[in-house]
Amino acid sequence: IQKIDSQAFINELTLRYTPQEPSVIFREGDWSITESLNLTEKILKENIADLACKKDVALGISGGLDSTLALLIWSQIGKVPPTYCMGFGQDEDELVQAETVAEVFGANSHALVVENPLERLPEIIAKTGLPKWNLYPYLLYEYAASNGVKHFVTGEGGDELFGGYEYRYNGYLASSLKSSTERTWAYLNYHSRDWVLDQEQLFGAKVGFGWHGIIASLESKFFTLPTSPICQLFTADYYGKYQGDFGLIDTITAKCHGMDIPSAYLTERMIKFASTVPSSYKFDPLTKKGKTLLRILVRDHGLPSWVAENPKKGFGPNTVKLWERCGERIFASLQPMDLVRDGWIRLEWINKHIASTDVRHINKMLALLAYEVWYRLNVTDTMSPKERL
């Protein structure tokens, strides 16, 4: 039986992660555009050459810029690996795009469709120990492992290293960034789907929630760093949601299947270099587009324009559609909640928003669903990992 960590509980249900101290600070280096392009390609080729030597290796692709560029360079080095992609039975899935890319390079493509990624949540939370709902990479890695894959290469880190979250940068840079506190609030405002406007009302009597603690933690770690405001944001993105959510989930869920997940991008040399690339070579404030260096490399290698120009979608289901399909039913089946009974969450907040179609409320309900499952498995011992939702 475990005890709940109050601060971790607040962080998970407000930010989706606990902020980590940065070991590398993103800053404005003095590389030229030509030097930046050449070094990016050189390091990427060296990384992929090392990965191509591995046995039982595969590449996860989405049809987006990062994984497509990795597959292109892989094809120049030698035989391309089998590719894997995942969808959720929704129009927003990138399966067609991913399989089109695989076909261009003659890769043996594997596609997994999971319409209810919440069904096995008790089992997956029990195995990973993570109180999160977005653990669906577990299912993709399970599928790949069943085909003998030991090394599942990804394009993870391309967005964080080379400025892929342009929809956030635009709003952040348009905000008042005069003080470190203003920059911290701007950062939060452009991660708005992670928290709700009445966040204070979500938590019960056992939780001493206050925005001051969240702000102080983010501000001290990222937004007082001696670098430009956008480089502070790059640092926060990498050591915040990536290290504490996306990257953490990938590492732990792959390990459950005896698999490692090296990234074509996230090597020590690439991180050290990319963290010093001038921000204007990542995000262009005039065109308002990100990943400038990677877009140029894709175009220079003659890939279709849609690879370079497609907007960032993000890997995962449309949560509103997921809620309509199965989330609301599953959430209802967990009522009354142990978290409510024990004073961690307010029933009044749930009752107020349970019928909402606002994506922010739905995302929060999914987060509560996952934490309730974790709580029943680890604290109250009222759920079996074998239970299906």
Side-chain angles (χ1 to χ4, degrees), residues 22-43:
S23 56
V24 174
I25 298 173
F26 286 66
R27 59 183 177 83
E28 304 283 359
D30 57 1
W31 305 100
S32 70
I33 185 70
T34 301
E35 289 173 328
S36 298
L37 282 167
N38 290 342
L39 266 173
T40 299
E41 185 169 15
K42 181 177 185 293
I43 298 172

Side-chain angles (χ1 to χ4, degrees), residues 17 19-22 24-28 160 168-169 172-173 176-188 191 217-241 275 277-279 282:
Y17 62 90
Q20 300 180 24
E21 292 285 349
V24 174
I25 298 173
F26 286 66
R27 59 183 177 83
E28 304 283 359
E160 288 78 15
R168 291 212 298 268
Y169 310 148
Y172 174 79
L173 293 174
S176 173
L177 304 175
K178 294 179 181 179
S179 71
S180 58
T181 303
E182 287 173 321
R183 292 193 292 275
T184 307
W185 273 112
Y187 172 77
L188 278 172
H191 286 77
S217 178
L218 291 170
E219 184 175 4
S220 63
K221 290 180 174 64
F222 308 126
F223 295 99
T224 56
L225 294 173
T227 188
S228 66
I230 193 162
C231 284
Q232 292 177 349
L233 177 59
F234 292 154
T235 307
D237 274 346
Y238 184 75
Y239 289 99
K241 191 179 288 187
S275 64
V277 168
S279 62
K282 298 178 180 182

Side-chain angles (χ1 to χ4, degrees), residues 54-294:
K54 295 180 181 290
K55 293 182 179 180
D56 303 321
V57 65
L59 175 66
I61 62 172
S62 65
L65 191 59
D66 306 330
S67 57
T68 301
L69 181 57
L71 185 56
L72 181 150
I73 291 176
W74 206 313
S75 72
Q76 296 173 340
I77 292 171
K79 182 181 178 182
V80 298
T83 60
Y84 284 79
C85 53
M86 183 178 186
F88 304 92
Q90 299 177 345
D91 293 340
E92 294 85 355
D93 288 350
E94 297 178 324
L95 289 182
V96 173
Q97 200 169 303
E99 293 191 298
T100 298
V101 168
E103 185 177 351
V104 167
F105 292 101
N108 180 15
S109 174
H110 300 77
L112 175 67
V113 177
V114 179
E115 294 192 354
N116 180 2
L118 305 174
E119 181 181 12
R120 293 170 59 190
L121 205 53
E123 171 195 347
I124 300 172
I125 288 177
K127 288 183 177 179
T128 63
L130 299 175
K132 296 174 176 287
W133 75 269
N134 56 328
L135 300 175
Y136 38 79
Y138 178 99
L139 303 170
L140 179 60
Y141 300 142
E142 177 184 63
Y143 175 48
S146 72
N147 290 326
V149 175
K150 298 293 185 183
H151 311 283
F152 193 102
V153 180
T154 74
E156 290 294 322
D159 287 309
E160 288 78 15
L161 294 183
F162 291 99
Y165 298 112
E166 54 198 36
Y167 57 94
R168 291 212 298 268
Y169 310 148
N170 284 313
Y172 174 79
L173 293 174
S175 303
S176 173
L177 304 175
K178 294 179 181 179
S179 71
S180 58
T181 303
E182 287 173 321
R183 292 193 292 275
T184 307
W185 273 112
Y187 172 77
L188 278 172
N189 284 333
Y190 293 97
H191 286 77
S192 60
R193 290 189 176 190
D194 295 333
W195 52 276
V196 290
L197 293 173
D198 55 351
Q199 187 77 18
E200 300 93 333
Q201 302 305 312
L202 173 69
F203 296 103
K206 277 193 176 180
V207 184
F209 176 82
W211 277 111
H212 62 278
I214 296 289
I215 295 298
S217 178
L218 291 170
E219 184 175 4
S220 63
K221 290 180 174 64
F222 308 126
F223 295 99
T224 56
L225 294 173
T227 188
S228 66
I230 193 162
C231 284
Q232 292 177 349
L233 177 59
F234 292 154
T235 307
D237 274 346
Y238 184 75
Y239 289 99
K241 191 179 288 187
Y242 178 74
Q243 290 282 15
D245 192 24
F246 305 147
L248 178 69
I249 287 171
D250 276 334
T251 300
I252 292 179
T253 55
K255 188 176 181 180
C256 288
H257 303 295
M259 181 186 297
D260 72 328
I261 53 161
S263 167
Y265 294 86
L266 291 176
T267 60
E268 184 177 353
R269 187 180 180 194
M270 183 67 94
I271 294 170
K272 184 177 179 180
F273 160 67
S275 64
T276 66
V277 168
S279 62
S280 59
Y281 302 163
K282 298 178 180 182
F283 175 72
D284 186 337
L286 296 177
T287 64
K288 300 188 183 302
K289 289 188 176 181
K291 291 202 280 199
T292 301
L293 291 179
L294 301 190

